[in-house]
Amino acid sequence: MELFTSFIAVFVCIIFVLIVAAVVRYAVDSSKTSRKLDLLMKEVRDLRAEVRQLQYTKGQDSQHIIDEKV
């Protein structure tokens, strides 16, 4: 009898964990965080490419390119 109740308790715990995981996943998906992160990563890539292009055209190895642009 104790073995049966322990199996039921484990089963209930697993179901509870799966429900919590589904709720958290839905919350993350509905907040559009991944889309915002993808957009931010694209912007960073574009900025790095622009900085590399600016360094190449000016022939400088300066670390203060951002100050020049501003």
Side-chain angles (χ1 to χ4, degrees):
M1 191 70 169
E2 289 180 26
L3 185 62
F4 183 69
T5 56
S6 62
F7 280 138
I8 290 176
V10 168
F11 182 72
V12 169
C13 288
I14 291 172
I15 296 296
F16 180 74
V17 167
L18 291 175
I19 290 172
V20 168
V23 168
V24 168
R25 185 175 177 104
Y26 176 75
V28 169
D29 288 344
S30 66
S31 70
K32 301 176 187 169
T33 304
S34 58
R35 290 183 199 152
K36 292 177 185 177
L37 183 62
D38 289 339
L39 182 62
L40 179 63
M41 288 172 51
K42 182 183 178 299
E43 289 289 330
V44 168
R45 271 188 245 119
D46 292 343
L47 181 60
R48 285 182 180 170
E50 187 177 337
V51 166
R52 265 189 251 118
Q53 180 67 27
L54 187 61
Q55 277 183 339
Y56 180 73
T57 57
K58 293 220 176 201
Q60 296 177 351
D61 291 327
S62 174
Q63 297 294 326
H64 303 289
I65 294 174
I66 303 298
D67 293 338
E68 266 183 45
K69 286 203 66 126
V70 172

